[in-house]
Amino acid sequence: MPHSAAHAGTARHARPHREGRAVNEPVPRTGRRIARLLAPHRPVACLVVLLVAVFSGLHVALPLLARLVFDHALFGAGGTDLRLLAQVALLAAVIAAAAAAVDLAQSWLATRVAERIVHTLRSDLFRHLQRMPLGFFAASRGGEIQSRLVNDTDRIEETVKDGVPTALASLLMLLFALGAMITLSPPLAAVALGLMPVAFWIAARSGRAMRELASTGQHVRAELASISAERLSLGGVTLARVHDRAGDDAASFAAESRRLAGLGVRSGLVAQSVLSAGQLLVVLTPYVVYVAAGLTESVTPGALVAFAVLQARVYQPLWQILHFVTGFQTARAAFERVFHYLDLPAARAATVPGGSERGRVSVLGAGVAHGPSHWALREVTIDLPAGSATLIAGPSGSGKTTLGRLLAALYPPSEGAVLAGGRVCLVPQEPFLFHGSIADNLRYAAPDASPADLVRACEITRVHRRVTELPDGYDSVVGERGALLSGGERQRIALARGLLSGAPVLVLDEATSALDSPTELEVIRAVLRARRGMTTVMISHRLDVARSFDTVVVLDGGRVVEHGPRTELLARPGGRFARLAALT
């Protein structure tokens, strides 16, 4: 995490690294956490509930008109009453229109609430992932992260936007219909409702199976996303072709796809078993009621017709509720996967007094451990004065890159602390360029940079002429990860981007390794001239650039073995830096 320029003195202290729960471990209190997402929208949610209640009441009122039609308008004591029949028809039309208007209003409000909830969840997850330690991204597959950020939140959005309002309307309609049925005939209502517990029992038994299948299905979808992201990238396709592994990669993808298809069949079977049970009740219960009505002398034809229509008003919402219960298990699994990521500890740096001089960096007994007994750095203590130019040297595996990332706050220290006066910008050996124009990539560090600023930075890194030779100049698209540019061009554009950042401390981690030695030396000298008065740190194994730096830090085995002015280190007989310089 970069230092904030607003906090001149920033320190990062040791803290234990925790990976959190396993991916498939259930997140506790999921229901309460889902409810907390709704809390900021409680007033609108209450209005939605009110509108749904009104809609459900109007929808249930229509069957009650059937009793009036049959017992009075059609088969009353005085025969057919056309006036009353017309009045009932007009009243039914008004109720239907009002129900449609209320349903439209509640649907609009429910959609707004759902979209805002999912937007908040998706945005919070993205911001939280941005704060995760680099080790999290090194250990996670990109497709898994994207699946949780996109696919899981899409599933949540679908459930919150469509499933919850439908289930709420069905529940209220069920309650209103039950009340009306009891009012019409308590004995018939008791008969009609006698089989309902069976449907709920089946739904409860199948819910756990649906949840497990949904969680596994989401995991397999993430695996498919990871395979496609890796194997269908430029590097993945190139690797498959040069090693003749395209068929194997296709087979791996097909195997996961078959696994997902099998899970889909099993999920569909479980869901359909619940729905079939509900459908069976819908078909059988009316006939049971008709038999009961034949044994009950107090039921009028109009009441029986109204009761039959209300039965549909009971079992249709019951069927929808059962459908929602089975579908919600998938959404619950998606919620748990998202909550699991949100619960992972982010990388944070503590702020303490000290290191307030702009551009000064102090490393105080710092170490970085990648495991219980694997220390990449140990007991590193160095002081980089403001405005200094320092070279970090050492053999391969000595911890140079780790030290650079420690200075830039990309790695938290496992021991000790790092103080930095202002923001630290790191330019790595393998720069990341996103799919956009050269100008867009440069302005990522300085959104307000003028065209002249871009030209000046690229002139310093000796890439301006090459950019102007491209068909669209600074508007030329660099391709996926800069694939349309050479390695040296990518590095120099990334270096120009680092210059545009204006950071008080700039760390170059083998940032010019793709250049030939004369060009590298020319670029480094130009960069140091442009940054005179600001702190620059360069990590390099090519020591022909050493004469451009005042101070040298030599690492070996993760420890500082030499640190001092370049001339003094070169003059030490048998010194580590002197031996390294003699080999170049």
Side-chain angles (χ1 to χ4, degrees):
M1 186 183 302
H3 296 285
S4 173
H7 296 89
T10 301
R12 297 175 306 284
H13 288 287
R15 59 176 51 83
H17 178 67
R18 296 185 291 115
E19 288 297 335
R21 291 180 297 273
V23 171
N24 292 324
E25 184 178 340
V27 176
R29 304 179 300 277
T30 301
R32 276 180 281 175
R33 296 183 69 171
I34 295 174
R36 283 201 296 268
L37 292 174
L38 186 62
H41 311 279
R42 189 177 292 114
V44 179
C46 291
L47 180 57
V48 170
V49 173
L50 177 61
L51 292 175
V52 169
V54 173
F55 168 77
S56 302
L58 292 174
H59 204 58
V60 170
L62 288 174
L64 297 178
L65 296 179
R67 182 178 184 180
L68 183 61
V69 169
F70 277 85
D71 289 346
H72 299 282
L74 291 178
F75 306 110
T80 302
D81 188 340
L82 296 179
R83 181 178 180 182
L84 179 59
L85 190 61
Q87 291 175 344
V88 172
L90 179 60
L91 179 59
V94 171
I95 293 176
V102 171
D103 188 38
L104 179 62
Q106 71 84 15
S107 178
W108 176 70
L109 288 174
T111 299
R112 286 188 60 191
V113 171
E115 294 291 351
R116 290 178 179 178
I117 289 174
V118 176
H119 163 71
T120 299
L121 187 63
R122 187 184 291 126
S123 299
D124 288 348
L125 179 58
F126 185 88
R127 283 192 293 267
H128 185 71
L129 288 171
Q130 284 183 309
R131 300 193 299 268
M132 293 300 295
L134 291 187
F136 166 81
F137 297 99
S140 303
R141 303 184 70 175
E144 173 72 25
I145 297 174
Q146 295 171 15
S147 177
R148 299 201 190 196
L149 185 61
V150 178
N151 296 340
D152 287 349
T153 54
D154 282 347
R155 185 63 58 91
I156 291 170
E157 178 182 6
E158 178 183 346
T159 300
V160 175
K161 182 174 64 176
D162 300 325
V164 172
T166 300
L168 178 61
S170 299
L171 177 61
L172 292 175
M173 192 179 302
L174 174 64
L175 295 176
F176 287 149
L178 289 177
M181 290 170 65
I182 293 173
T183 301
L184 287 173
S185 175
L188 293 186
V191 172
L193 302 180
L195 296 177
M196 285 182 60
V198 178
F200 285 110
W201 178 81
I202 295 175
R205 290 294 301 270
S206 62
R208 182 175 181 180
M210 282 295 298
R211 179 178 172 183
E212 293 175 353
L213 289 171
S215 179
T216 305
Q218 293 296 91
H219 178 72
V220 175
R221 287 185 179 89
E223 184 68 17
L224 280 175
S226 296
I227 292 175
S228 61
E230 290 178 351
R231 301 301 192 269
L232 295 182
S233 65
L234 176 61
V237 171
T238 302
L239 186 66
R241 290 181 181 177
V242 299
H243 291 287
D244 194 22
R245 294 295 300 275
D248 295 328
D249 290 345
S252 297
F253 184 88
E256 291 298 324
S257 181
R258 282 193 298 270
R259 184 184 176 196
L260 183 61
L263 289 170
V265 172
R266 292 169 59 190
S267 299
L269 182 61
V270 173
Q272 189 58 47
S273 66
V274 178
L275 302 183
S276 297
Q279 186 66 28
L280 183 62
L281 291 175
V282 172
V283 173
L284 294 181
T285 304
Y287 294 96
V288 177
V289 170
Y290 295 153
V291 173
L295 301 175
T296 305
E297 298 180 355
S298 60
V299 179
T300 65
L304 182 59
V305 170
F307 198 94
V309 176
L310 283 171
Q311 278 186 263
R313 295 292 193 270
V314 168
Y315 285 104
Q316 180 183 3
L318 176 61
W319 182 85
Q320 291 174 334
I321 291 173
L322 295 178
H323 187 276
F324 171 77
V325 169
T326 55
F328 181 73
Q329 301 305 321
T330 301
R332 183 182 178 89
F335 269 114
E336 290 178 351
R337 285 164 52 84
V338 170
F339 289 153
H340 168 68
Y341 267 9
L342 288 173
D343 287 342
L344 293 177
R348 294 181 179 176
T351 300
V352 299
S356 58
E357 183 181 0
R358 181 176 173 83
R360 181 178 179 179
V361 180
S362 298
V363 183
L364 308 175
V368 175
H370 295 316
S373 59
H374 179 207
W375 287 84
L377 290 176
R378 196 70 191 267
E379 299 176 350
V380 174
T381 298
I382 55 177
D383 185 67
L384 307 179
S388 62
T390 302
L391 176 69
I392 298 176
S396 298
S398 60
K400 300 188 299 295
T401 293
T402 302
L403 178 56
R405 293 183 175 182
L406 180 68
L407 296 177
L410 298 178
Y411 284 161
S414 303
E415 64 179 10
V418 178
L419 303 176
R423 188 166 64 91
V424 179
C425 178
L426 173 71
V427 181
Q429 181 178 9
E430 297 292 338
F432 179 83
L433 300 181
F434 56 82
H435 196 292
S437 69
I438 293 174
D440 290 337
N441 276 277
L442 291 170
R443 285 197 175 97
Y444 189 81
D448 298 328
S450 66
D453 294 332
L454 306 187
V455 170
R456 188 178 306 110
C458 289
E459 285 178 340
I460 294 172
T461 60
R462 304 301 190 259
V463 76
H464 169 68
R465 178 179 297 180
R466 174 56 184 148
V467 172
T468 58
E469 292 173 351
L470 297 174
D472 297 319
Y474 282 85
D475 292 326
S476 299
V477 176
V478 303
E480 183 70 18
R481 296 181 177 269
L484 299 181
L485 303 175
S486 70
E489 290 164 353
R490 289 196 297 271
Q491 284 191 337
R492 284 180 286 176
I493 289 174
L495 183 53
R497 182 170 58 191
L499 292 176
L500 285 168
S501 71
V505 182
L506 180 64
V507 179
L508 310 180
D509 181 10
E510 303 280 5
T512 53
S513 60
L515 305 180
D516 59 82
S517 294
T519 303
E520 180 183 38
L521 186 58
E522 181 183 358
V523 169
I524 293 302
R525 287 175 174 173
V527 168
L528 293 176
R529 284 196 300 269
R531 287 186 54 81
R532 185 174 288 112
M534 293 186 286
T535 305
T536 305
V537 180
M538 183 172 185
I539 299 168
S540 179
H541 66 281
R542 288 156 60 167
L543 301 185
D544 50 351
V545 300
R547 57 183 177 270
S548 299
F549 293 86
D550 305 322
T551 306
V552 176
V553 176
V554 182
L555 296 177
D556 195 4
R559 297 177 183 269
V560 176
V561 294
E562 288 184 340
H563 178 204
R566 174 181 55 85
T567 54
E568 290 184 8
L569 296 185
L570 284 174
R572 289 182 183 177
R576 190 67 57 89
F577 180 67
R579 294 202 307 268
L580 289 173
L583 297 176
T584 60

